[in-house]
Amino acid sequence: MPDREAAASIPFLPYGRQEIGDTDIKAVVEALVSGWLTTGPRVSQFEQAFAQHCGAAEGVAVNSGTAALHAAMRAIGVRTGDEVIVPALTFAASANAAIYEGATPVFADVEEDTLLIDPASVKQRISPRTRAIVAVDYAGQPADYDALRQIARSRGIRLIADSCHAPGAIYRDRKVGTLGDISCFSFHPVKHMTTCEGGMCTTDDAEMAAHMRRFRNHGIDSDHRSREAKGSYAYDMAELGYNYRLPDVQCALGMAQLPRLDGWVTTRQKIARFYDRAFARLPQVAPLYTHSDRSNAYHIYVVRLAASLDRDRVFAALRAEGIGANVHYAPVYSHSYYRARGYAPGLCPVAERTSKQILTLPMFPAMSEEDVSRVVDAVTRATA
Ligand SMILES: Cc1ncc(COP(=O)(O)O)c(C=O)c1O
């Protein structure tokens, strides 16, 4: 392993990185001088383009993936006293959004081989208070939506797809973005495409889309542009909403990025195949399983280390070689905020056990073959 000084001179390979090119810069500059910085024509253009890309009827742009989840909770009618079932292994926002609306997250366990929400665990968690299930397309693979939809339909509850990891992925010939009653996306720089910060909800339900557009604008029934077009000043605030608007300048960036999304997903899949082949030779390192009826968009590339290895030691060894390994995630309920609310260890044994063995390795479209080989070599050394 290189010493500290040598390590400092090695370029750091982050676990994810955005791509910004000339077309992005041009689009942003055009928006900046267009006269519309926010709530202008680019918002609905981006919404339509993104929804069309997914095959959904409606897109609602918001200023983060978290805001998308919050808007989805409001649109499906999550209220104080409700329960929302969420996988234990996800980013905290998947669960936090339920709390924003006064509901209680109920954590479901994950499948051992994919770390996706386990439908059998979801079934066990359903109660008369369950209002919704949040499916998370962990790492980029769609959850088992047919099984989840069947559970949801039979109990009259809603299905929200937290697809922040999976734009461009496919489940049984159906595109991510059409798999839940509402699907939520993030355009944070580490995701597949970026608007700096940003997010989107997609749905086929026009009423829910209208509700989410109102919700992202303080609960007000019209926006500045539509009032200007009508020559009117009057508006009504029909419910308590938030300022979750995504500015025109950021929508311009989103529109410039969108045509490259599919190509980026293909490149991520190629990198994943390279990793898969290399790690097949390492008995101590197991990539997550991808089902043959799904395509994986690989937001992150996660491996599971043998229980005999010390994950934190491997992590430190990789970091010492300039490899930006990471961990996604500790179970959400292990965070102190959740512990203070009474969540205790033992709720989701698979998530708790596997979360101590997982490592996220660098994965972004601009990685060269040399970069990928460098990661493989470092993992080989660190796990020998
Ligand atoms: C699964 C998941 N859900 C929600 C979010 C929240 O997205 P944002 O950071 O855009 O608020 C993220 C972001 O990391 C995520 O990974």
Side-chain angles (χ1 to χ4, degrees):
M1 193 186 307
D3 62 20
R4 204 176 269 265
E5 209 174 298
S9 67
I10 304 172
F12 184 73
L13 262 184
Y15 81 88
R17 183 156 66 203
Q18 74 281 3
E19 296 232 342
I20 298 293
D22 290 346
T23 51
D24 301 309
I25 294 164
K26 189 165 172 275
V28 167
V29 171
E30 272 172 21
L32 273 173
V33 296
S34 72
W36 287 105
L37 294 185
T38 193
T39 325
R42 286 169 182 82
V43 179
S44 51
Q45 285 164 14
F46 182 40
E47 289 178 337
Q48 282 160 23
F50 190 84
Q52 197 178 15
H53 186 272
C54 299
E58 302 269 357
V60 179
V62 287
N63 57 15
S64 69
T66 305
L69 286 159
H70 190 184
M73 295 286 166
R74 177 66 66 89
I76 66 168
V78 169
R79 285 186 217 109
T80 302
D82 288 344
E83 291 176 356
V84 175
I85 298 177
V86 185
L89 225 56
T90 182
F91 185 58
S94 316
N96 296 350
I99 300 178
Y100 296 159
E101 290 298 288
T104 302
V106 172
F107 292 99
D109 213 341
V110 295
E111 296 169 345
E112 185 89 36
D113 53 352
T114 60
L115 304 187
L116 292 168
I117 187 168
D118 182 349
S121 178
V122 170
K123 236 183 204 167
Q124 288 165 0
R125 275 25 177 199
I126 302 265
S127 84
R129 291 166 63 195
T130 309
R131 171 77 60 175
I133 301 165
V134 178
V136 175
D137 300 332
Y138 176 78
Q141 175 172 202
D144 189 352
Y145 282 95
D146 282 350
L148 294 168
R149 178 160 298 286
Q150 201 185 4
I151 298 168
R153 279 223 179 108
S154 68
R155 310 294 178 116
I157 58 185
R158 294 290 197 171
L159 183 56
I160 295 175
D162 179 341
S163 295
C164 290
H165 290 192
I170 292 169
Y171 173 84
R172 297 184 181 164
D173 300 326
R174 302 199 301 276
K175 278 180 125 176
V176 160
T178 62
L179 299 168
D181 293 304
I182 298 174
S183 302
C184 302
F185 296 90
S186 163
F187 304 128
H188 180 273
V190 90
K191 299 295 194 298
H192 294 73
M193 54 173 276
T194 191
T195 59
C196 302
E197 296 277 359
M200 184 80 75
C201 297
T202 56
T203 182
D204 285 339
D205 188 313
E207 228 168 89
M208 288 203 285
H211 192 170
M212 291 190 285
R213 285 195 189 99
R214 193 166 68 228
F215 177 73
R216 69 154 180 225
N217 186 33
H218 306 276
I220 290 172
D221 61 359
S222 61
D223 65 23
H224 171 74
R225 184 162 166 254
S226 62
R227 286 195 296 279
E228 196 167 279
K230 275 196 216 145
S232 155
Y233 65 85
Y235 62 79
D236 182 41
M237 191 193 110
E239 67 176 306
L240 186 66
Y242 293 78
N243 180 352
Y244 281 160
R245 296 186 300 256
L246 186 65
D248 261 48
V249 175
Q250 287 169 248
C251 289
L253 179 55
M255 271 196 297
Q257 294 250 306
L258 185 60
R260 285 172 285 160
L261 173 61
D262 288 342
W264 285 333
V265 170
T266 304
T267 307
R268 286 170 179 274
Q269 290 166 340
K270 278 189 195 146
I271 295 169
R273 278 197 294 275
F274 187 102
Y275 275 145
D276 287 347
R277 278 196 300 273
F279 296 139
R281 296 193 291 270
L282 301 185
Q284 312 258 63
V285 180
L288 296 184
Y289 178 70
T290 297
H291 288 278
S292 57
D293 60 357
R294 303 169 212 184
S295 78
N296 191 329
Y298 288 105
H299 159 49
I300 48 178
Y301 187 87
V302 175
V303 293
R304 192 163 156 193
L305 303 180
S308 56
L309 287 175
D310 177 342
R311 190 266 313 272
D312 291 350
R313 193 195 58 75
V314 175
F315 170 87
L318 293 175
R319 282 292 178 98
E321 293 206 40
I323 308 295
N326 220 310
V327 174
H328 297 91
Y329 301 92
V332 175
Y333 59 81
S334 68
H335 291 290
S336 56
Y337 171 82
Y338 280 91
R339 277 194 279 115
R341 291 175 77 103
Y343 294 86
L347 281 179
C348 298
V350 180
E352 288 177 27
R353 183 164 33 78
T354 53
S355 68
K356 297 191 180 88
Q357 299 176 298
I358 50 179
L359 262 188
T360 301
L361 301 176
M363 162 66 82
F364 53 91
M367 279 180 88
S368 64
E369 268 183 38
E370 200 181 49
D371 292 334
V372 185
S373 297
R374 204 182 125 198
V375 177
V376 170
D377 292 346
V379 171
T380 306
R381 278 191 291 278
T383 57

